[in-house]
Amino acid sequence: MWFIYSLLSAFFVSLSDVLSKKALDTEEASLIAWVRFTYAIPFLILLIPFIDFPRLDLTFFIMCLVLIPLEVTAVLLYIKAIKISPLSMTLPFLSFTPLFLIITSYLILGELPDTSGFIGILFVVTGAYLLNIHTVRRGIFEPLRAIGREKGAILMIAVAFIFSISSNLGKVAIQHSNPFFFAVFYPPLLSFSLLPIMLFRTSSKRSNSDSRGKFNKLFRRKIFYIIGLCIALESIFHFSAITIIEVSYMISVKRTSLLFGIIFGAIFFGENNIRERLVGGIIMIIGVTLISVF
C-alpha cells in the first residue's frame, strides 16, 4: 500500500501543477501559491476526527518558525517557475533535492556518500543533460547551456535546494508531533503567511474597486477548489505512506511526479521534445533512488 499511496501522491501533486499553470494564464503567481494551501484546508479539516492530537513542545514551534520563510520562498519560486517555463523543463529539477542533501551533509557533517550515492549523482546529472539532448548538434555543452537559458529551470533548482533544507526541518517537526496532525496544521500556517504577500501583489496591479471585485469572485472559481482538493489528496497520501515505510523509499516513488509532469505538459500544453525529456526524467529518478534508498 505504501507504493500505491506514494504513486497517488505523485499523481495528485502533478495534477495540481497542471491546474496551477492553467490558472496562471489569468492570475498572479502569488495568488496561485496562496490558493494551493488555502483551498486545501476545507478538505484537510475532514481528517480532524481521525487525528491523535499530540502534546507540542518548543522544538516543534521552533521548526515551524524556521520552516515558514523557507517554504513561502520555495512555493513562490515554484509557481513562478511553472508559469514562465514548460512543466517538462522545470519539474525534473526537483530531483536535485537529494543531490543537494548530499552536499549539505558533507559541508555540515563531513559525510561523503557511498558508491551508490556517487552513481546516483551521475545519473541525476546525466538525466538533466538529456532533457535538452536535441541541442547537442550545436556543441557538446549546449544541453547544459540550454538549462541555463531556461529561467524556470534555474528557479526550480533553487526550490530543490530549499527543499533539501526544509525536508529535514519538516521531519523534525513531524517527529515532535505526528504526520497527520502536521498535514492539517501546516497548510493554514502557510496560507496565513502567504496572505499579505498575495494581497500586496494583487492589489498593487489593480484599483481598489477592481481588487474588491476580484476578491469577491475569488471564492467562486471552480479550478481553485480542484487545485485545493489535489493538494489535500497529495498530502493525505504522502503522510499515509510515511507512516508505514521509510521516508527515503516514499520520496523515491513520489519523484515519479516529474514523469507525470512531463506527460501532462505534452497533453495539456503541447510541450515539445517529450521523448528525450521522459528518458532524462527516468534516468533522474533512477539516480534519486540510488541516492535515497541504497
Side-chain angles (χ1 to χ4, degrees):
M1 289 305 298
W2 73 266
F3 183 88
I4 295 173
Y5 290 155
S6 301
L7 203 61
L8 286 171
S9 181
F11 174 80
F12 282 112
V13 73
S14 298
L15 188 56
S16 71
D17 290 338
V18 170
L19 296 168
S20 296
K21 187 172 179 65
K22 183 66 176 176
L24 284 165
D25 289 341
T26 57
E27 304 293 352
E28 212 275 332
S30 61
L31 171 61
I32 300 304
W34 177 77
V35 161
R36 284 168 73 96
F37 297 106
T38 305
Y39 282 72
I41 294 171
F43 302 105
L44 291 172
I45 286 174
L46 299 175
L47 290 177
I48 289 178
F50 307 99
I51 293 176
D52 293 327
F53 285 84
R55 293 187 64 181
L56 303 176
D57 57 15
L58 182 60
T59 300
F60 173 82
F61 291 107
I62 291 174
M63 289 299 103
C64 288
L65 286 174
V66 178
L67 271 169
I68 289 299
L70 290 173
E71 291 278 2
V72 166
T73 302
V75 71
L76 290 173
L77 293 177
Y78 188 107
I79 297 301
K80 182 69 173 178
I82 66 174
K83 178 177 183 177
I84 65 176
S85 296
L87 293 178
S88 58
M89 270 303 296
T90 52
L91 298 181
F93 288 97
L94 288 176
S95 61
F96 274 44
T97 296
L99 188 152
F100 287 132
L101 280 169
I102 287 178
I103 296 172
T104 54
S105 295
Y106 173 70
L107 293 175
I108 297 171
L109 303 174
E111 296 177 348
L112 285 172
D114 56 17
T115 303
S116 65
F118 280 115
I119 296 173
I121 292 172
L122 181 62
F123 269 80
V124 171
V125 174
T126 301
Y129 180 86
L130 291 175
L131 292 175
N132 286 295
I133 193 63
H134 68 279
T135 65
V136 75
R137 61 181 178 272
R138 296 198 295 269
I140 192 170
F141 295 109
E142 191 59 27
L144 298 179
R145 296 191 188 102
I147 294 172
R149 290 193 296 270
E150 194 68 63
K151 292 182 179 179
I154 300 302
L155 292 177
M156 199 61 85
I157 291 172
V159 172
F161 177 74
I162 295 173
F163 281 171
S164 73
I165 300 171
S166 64
S167 60
N168 285 320
L169 299 177
K171 183 176 180 179
V172 174
I174 290 171
Q175 289 172 341
H176 286 260
S177 56
N178 67 58
F180 283 107
F181 172 82
F182 193 71
V184 174
F185 175 83
Y186 197 51
L189 279 183
L190 291 174
S191 172
F192 180 78
S193 301
L194 283 163
L195 181 61
I197 299 173
M198 182 272 287
L199 291 176
F200 174 77
R201 290 191 178 180
T202 55
S203 63
S204 64
K205 296 182 179 181
R206 299 183 179 90
S207 65
N208 290 334
S209 59
D210 288 341
S211 296
R212 285 193 296 270
K214 187 68 176 179
F215 192 78
N216 290 333
K217 295 178 181 178
L218 192 61
F219 294 98
R220 297 201 295 270
R221 291 211 62 181
K222 293 180 181 179
I223 192 171
F224 289 172
Y225 290 99
I226 302 174
I227 292 172
L229 176 60
C230 288
I231 293 294
L233 290 172
E234 177 268 329
S235 183
I236 290 168
F237 287 122
H238 175 103
F239 289 108
S240 295
I242 64 174
T243 59
I244 55 179
I245 196 68
E246 289 85 350
V247 174
S248 59
Y249 288 91
M250 187 278 294
I251 290 298
S252 296
V253 176
K254 189 177 178 181
R255 281 295 171 259
T256 57
S257 62
L258 70 88
L259 297 183
F260 286 123
I262 292 170
I263 294 168
F264 288 159
I267 293 173
F268 295 104
F269 303 105
E271 296 176 7
N272 299 319
N273 305 311
I274 296 303
R275 287 184 181 180
E276 65 189 48
R277 290 175 184 175
L278 278 174
V279 172
I282 291 170
I283 292 174
M284 293 172 93
I285 289 174
I286 294 172
V288 170
T289 304
L290 288 169
I291 294 170
S292 303
V293 177
F294 301 104

